[in-house]
């Protein structure tokens, strides 16, 4: 006989291989993952077919960014605590997430300019520029810029989160303090400074990385940390490049909804260098 509630027959249940089938009093998959909340958060504003893609692309990116922040915060704490093996696990996870986001552009690039033009007016002045999690990631990785706090001024709670990241030493700042603790000479103004200021490259830091890269076996952990950071910046550069290229193929040189010049603004971001001495050292080896 078929179940009146589900229409399942006794035979279907036999084929369920002993799996639990009654969740009237137990936590199910959807309960644990809060899928009702997650899957009711896609509310297209336009009548266009492609808006679902646009929303899900951004929502999944924000979820991955949430995990990146979780891992980056923990990695910075571990570096501060000299627990480098734990930090390596987290940093390599962050790089893999960034690679995931690089490949995600392939899905969005299936949207043509005509398709995007139909939904763009519904976005009004909203823009990825206003992503507070993205800004936290940039700040955590040391790309500090006070002007980027302004879009969050209308939301005190978000502003506080971005400001906290802006005021804190970045992952790289903590790395330089670690180099000093391990006996490498680093200029004092790179160990204690106003962390809200953008990072400026230093010759002492370059010399310190040079010592590490010239004798990896003596500084194996620092050497591995240097390479983890280069991996991460490499993946981030690919993300920036895929963003600007996808944007150009979809909106050309139109001004951005966030008010910037659009592609020209994003191209300038390609010049960002997060860990300058780690790149510079390559030339000296
Ligand atoms: C059709 C797809 C997209 C277009 C046309 C587009 C366009 C733009 C433009 C023009 C800007 C410059 C700011 C502005 O004036 O609006 C921007 C910034 C930004 N977009 Fe996108 N974008 C797209 C997809 C995405 C996706 C999928 C993400 C992933 C979360 C994203 C994240 C960002 C971020 C974080 C910024 C700020 C970048 C920075 O300040 O360095 N965008 N986007
Ligand atoms: N800045 C984009 C709009 C845009 O892409 C966007 C709009 C709302 C939510 C996320 C977005 N994605 C990234 O910027 C544009 O100028 O078309």
């Amino acid at each position: 006989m078929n179940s009146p509630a589900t229409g399942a027959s006794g035979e279907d249940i036999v084929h369920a291989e002993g799996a639990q089938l009654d969740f009237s009093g137990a936590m199910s998959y959807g309960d644990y993952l809060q899928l009702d909340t997650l899957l009711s958060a896609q509310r297209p504003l336009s009548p266009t077919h492609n808006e679902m893609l646009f929303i899900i692309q951004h929502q999944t990116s924000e979820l991955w960014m949430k995990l990146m922040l979780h891992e980056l915060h923990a990695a910075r704490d571990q570096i501060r605590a000299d627990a480098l093996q734990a930090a390596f696990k987290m940093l390599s996870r962050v790089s893999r997430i960034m690679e995931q986001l690089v490949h995600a552009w392939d899905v969005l690039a299936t949207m043509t300019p005509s398709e995007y033009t139909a939904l763009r007016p519904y976005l009004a002045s909203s823009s990825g520029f206003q992503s507070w999690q993205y800004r936290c990631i940039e700040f955590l990785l040391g790309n500090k810029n006070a002007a980027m706090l302004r879009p969050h001024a209308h939301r005190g709670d978000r502003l506080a989160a971005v400001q906290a990241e802006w005021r804190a030493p970045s992952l790289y700042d903590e790395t330089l303090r670690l180099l000093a603790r391990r006996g490498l000479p680093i200029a004092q103004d790179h160990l204690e400074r106003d962390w809200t200021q953008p990072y400026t490259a230093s010759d002492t830091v370059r010399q310190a990385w040079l010592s590490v890269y010239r004798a990896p076996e003596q500084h194996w952990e620092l050497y591995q940390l240097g390479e983890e950071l280069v991996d991460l910046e490499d993946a981030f550069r690919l993300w920036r490049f895929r963003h600007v290229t996808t944007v150009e193929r979809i909106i050309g040189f139109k001004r951005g909804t966030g008010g910037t010049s659009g592609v020209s603004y994003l191209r300038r971001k390609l010049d960002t260098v997060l860990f300058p001495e780690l790149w510079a050292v390559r030339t000296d080896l």
Side-chain angles (χ1 to χ4, degrees), residues 137-201:
I137 292 170
E138 286 268 21
F139 286 176
L140 231 159
L141 296 180
N143 189 12
K144 305 282 177 87
N145 179 349
M148 299 301 181
L149 294 166
R150 185 68 186 86
H152 308 287
H154 69 290
R155 274 287 303 268
D157 50 345
R158 297 306 184 212
L159 179 66
V162 186
Q163 250 168 354
E165 223 53 83
W166 177 60
R167 293 196 177 114
S170 71
L171 186 70
Y172 195 54
D173 293 324
E174 285 297 352
T175 297
L176 303 188
R177 289 157 71 94
L178 170 77
L179 293 181
R181 286 198 299 281
R182 300 257 168 130
L184 292 154
I186 304 285
Q188 193 55 34
D189 63 359
H190 273 62
L191 299 175
E192 241 1 292
R193 63 185 186 90
D194 175 358
W195 306 117
T196 65
Q197 293 307 302
Y199 183 76
T200 50

Side-chain angles (χ1 to χ4, degrees), residues 54 58 116 120 123 126-129 243 251 254-258:
F54 192 78
H58 285 87
Y116 183 61
R120 194 172 188 236
L123 303 174
S126 65
S127 164
F129 189 77
H243 185 205
I251 63 166
K254 290 192 184 84
R255 182 160 280 278
T257 51

